[in-house]
Amino acid sequence: MSVSRRDLFKLAGVGALVSALPSKSSFAAAEKVGKMGAMLPPPKGNRVVVCGGGWAGLTVAKYLKKEDPNIEVVLIEKRPNFFSCPISNEWLADLVSLDFLSHDYNQPAAKYGYKFINATVLGIERDKKRVYTPQGYIEYNYLVLAPGIRYNYSAWFKDDKQMAEYARVHYPPAYIPGSEHLALKRKIWEFEEGDFVITVPPGAYRCPPAPYERAAMIAYVFKKNKVKGRVIILDPKGDIAPKGPGFRAAYEQLYLGIVEYVPNAVIKEVDPVKKIIKTTAGDFKFADANLVPPHQAGDLVWMADLIAKDKDGKPTGWADQDPITFQAKADPNVFLVGDVIGGVPYPKSGHMANSQGKIVAKIIASRIKGKEYKPTLPDNTCYSMVNGDPQEAIVISVTYELKDGKIEPKPKVINERSKALADATYEWAKAIYRDMFA
């Protein structure tokens, strides 16, 4: 294998491995990746490697095997267990248990016949159709990248990685499953008094209603525990969206004096040490916070060099894929699915990722069979809990239509909160969990 030093760095990724190491160590690590042997023997038939075991990746893996049991499917995920971000706001408020959100990867892999590998992807070589893990490389015929999101702290702190890490550890965003959620829950339940600030990311981000639902759930906890505190939402937008009337009604009728919504609060500076945020709507000091930086497509899409560029040639931060087939524009053998995608009016949600995963599975299976398949458009449903006692929720459902070459959303919103919608929230979650795991 003959690759340049630059190629080796690219092979080892722009993310966790190389950026965390000194220069010589980085080169040595990248060189080691480049010399790795095969982890699996070459595919005998068609092998699809799915990187990312979230809602999209799990759905693609299962439905590929259902479409054609002869396809060899390999799912690679760095986390040993599945933790659901959808419904995690309810868990923060103690409305559901951790068991409700947690699932194991081995059961669906054994049931549907795909191979689950618990490993971190170190590199991707599209020209050789290889994915590198610490145990060696895996060859593929088709590659599906579904790594979710990453945080863009450089928008706040430029190259100051120490400050970014300080903010992440002390004021975790909790938009990526794991320890951040545990830390945020502890903060909420131990909060005694003062202002608790939530920052809404600018542009596209994972689960658009999530910060507003989270604010309602934190306010519910403060109200229940008689905490002398406020939840301040700093939103760069001019108004809450989606489900604005439903959230505003909840804030005014259930949490008056507890929730303060601040529109047009574009962040100019964040100082997590001094606990102050400067915005276009004023400066805000905080006692504690849920600091959520801008989001981007996950590291693997950057590693594969499949990020879209704007008219000036700068990265948009999101994947560059065909809006109908989800194929990478630069590589028809790679599919980009879930929260990584850009350039289409799809929200980055669990339901949407599950819906896209089924479509991508049909496209790949049809292509392997040499058959034509006319893809359908995905759909989305998103419930938001706004009250904890009694439990009440609101909802948005969206279908999409292709008109004059453009994808147009057709939303239906119920902003009147109700217990029936709270019950439907959990039934929706159980149904999707069954779809991915049972």
Side-chain angles (χ1 to χ4, degrees):
M1 183 179 196
S2 177
V3 291
S4 67
R5 179 188 175 98
R6 180 180 178 184
D7 290 336
L8 284 170
F9 278 110
K10 186 175 179 181
L11 178 63
V14 296
L17 179 63
V18 170
S19 61
L21 298 172
S23 178
K24 290 183 179 179
S25 299
S26 302
F27 184 73
E31 192 171 38
K32 184 178 179 181
V33 171
K35 292 180 178 178
M36 282 180 173
M39 179 181 180
L40 298 177
K44 295 179 180 178
N46 284 286
R47 175 186 289 164
V48 181
V49 173
V50 182
C51 296
W55 292 58
L58 277 163
T59 305
V60 172
K62 169 186 170 179
Y63 279 87
L64 271 172
K65 295 299 290 186
K66 291 193 73 170
E67 289 289 333
D68 185 351
N70 294 318
I71 299 174
E72 182 187 359
V73 179
V74 179
L75 173 64
I76 304 174
E77 166 57 41
K78 62 184 177 183
R79 299 180 184 85
N81 307 307
F82 177 91
F83 179 94
S84 174
C85 273
I87 311 296
S88 63
N89 284 333
E90 286 83 342
W91 170 75
L92 291 174
D94 259 358
L95 303 184
V96 298
S97 70
L98 190 59
D99 287 346
F100 191 81
L101 306 181
S102 304
H103 302 270
D104 80 272
Y105 283 111
N106 292 319
Q107 180 182 345
K111 181 173 182 178
Y112 295 104
Y114 61 82
K115 186 176 184 63
F116 171 66
I117 296 176
N118 181 203
T120 298
V121 173
L122 301 179
I124 296 169
E125 268 193 317
R126 289 195 285 113
D127 57 341
K128 290 185 170 62
K129 293 187 175 182
R130 288 178 177 177
V131 173
Y132 288 80
T133 77
Q135 291 79 39
Y137 66 80
I138 302 170
E139 294 175 304
Y140 64 82
N141 299 95
Y142 296 97
L143 176 65
V144 178
L145 296 181
I149 62 159
R150 74 180 191 183
Y151 302 132
N152 179 22
Y153 277 109
S154 63
W156 288 355
F157 306 118
K158 299 188 184 303
D159 296 328
D160 191 341
K161 293 183 179 180
Q162 287 187 331
M163 190 63 81
E165 185 64 6
Y166 185 93
R168 191 190 68 79
V169 171
H170 289 81
Y171 305 104
Y175 273 73
I176 295 175
S179 296
E180 293 175 11
H181 283 83
L182 297 171
L184 178 60
K185 184 168 186 176
R186 176 181 52 76
K187 283 172 166 287
I188 294 168
W189 284 87
E190 292 180 355
F191 192 75
E192 294 182 348
E193 63 179 345
D195 288 338
F196 192 106
V197 166
I198 297 175
T199 60
V200 179
Y205 62 91
R206 170 174 275 176
C207 193
Y212 312 112
E213 181 190 54
R214 182 171 288 179
M217 290 292 91
I218 295 174
Y220 159 72
V221 173
F222 287 2
K223 184 178 179 180
K224 178 181 178 180
N225 292 343
K226 297 181 171 53
V227 171
K228 295 179 180 178
R230 296 188 304 168
V231 181
I232 298 178
I233 308 166
L234 301 182
D235 193 342
K237 298 193 298 292
D239 201 354
I240 298 172
K243 295 179 268 192
F247 282 117
R248 283 196 297 276
Y251 297 160
E252 294 167 2
Q253 296 166 11
L254 301 174
Y255 310 117
L256 188 63
I258 300 177
V259 173
E260 180 179 344
Y261 175 72
V262 182
N264 302 310
V266 178
I267 290 179
K268 298 191 294 184
E269 183 180 341
V270 178
D271 189 332
V273 177
K274 295 181 179 177
K275 298 184 179 182
I276 186 168
I277 302 172
K278 297 181 179 179
T279 79
T280 52
D283 298 348
F284 296 85
K285 293 184 177 180
F286 58 85
D288 211 335
N290 175 210
L291 299 182
V292 187
H295 293 179
Q296 293 180 331
D299 283 336
L300 300 188
V301 184
W302 297 80
M303 188 184 292
D305 197 16
L306 294 173
I307 293 292
K309 304 285 197 311
D310 64 18
K311 59 182 176 59
D312 298 321
K314 296 179 180 178
T316 65
W318 301 104
D320 192 16
Q321 79 296 317
D322 182 284
I324 305 298
T325 66
F326 301 98
Q327 287 174 289
K329 290 182 179 177
D331 190 336
N333 296 310
V334 179
F335 291 77
L336 302 159
V337 63
D339 291 350
V340 302
I341 70 169
V344 285
Y346 297 151
K348 303 178 189 309
S349 75
H351 188 110
M352 174 58 72
N354 175 267
S355 183
Q356 291 174 5
K358 293 172 183 174
I359 295 169
V360 168
K362 282 185 176 293
I363 293 172
I364 296 174
S366 298
R367 188 168 166 180
I368 288 173
K369 292 174 183 175
K371 296 182 178 179
E372 286 191 16
Y373 172 70
K374 186 178 180 180
T376 57
L377 297 179
D379 66 294
N380 186 54
T381 295
C382 179
Y383 293 90
S384 297
M385 197 70 68
V386 294
N387 193 11
D389 186 18
Q391 293 190 41
E392 296 174 312
I394 54 181
V395 66
I396 182 172
S397 299
V398 188
T399 57
Y400 296 86
E401 293 181 4
L402 191 61
K403 188 175 182 181
D404 299 328
K406 293 184 178 180
I407 298 172
E408 294 186 354
K410 303 293 181 182
K412 293 182 180 178
V413 186
I414 301 178
N415 282 304
E416 185 176 349
R417 65 181 182 272
S418 69
K419 182 180 181 304
L421 289 179
D423 294 341
T425 301
Y426 297 123
E427 291 306 313
W428 166 84
K430 291 175 184 175
I432 298 239
Y433 294 151
R434 282 196 299 272
D435 187 52
M436 295 188 295
F437 295 100

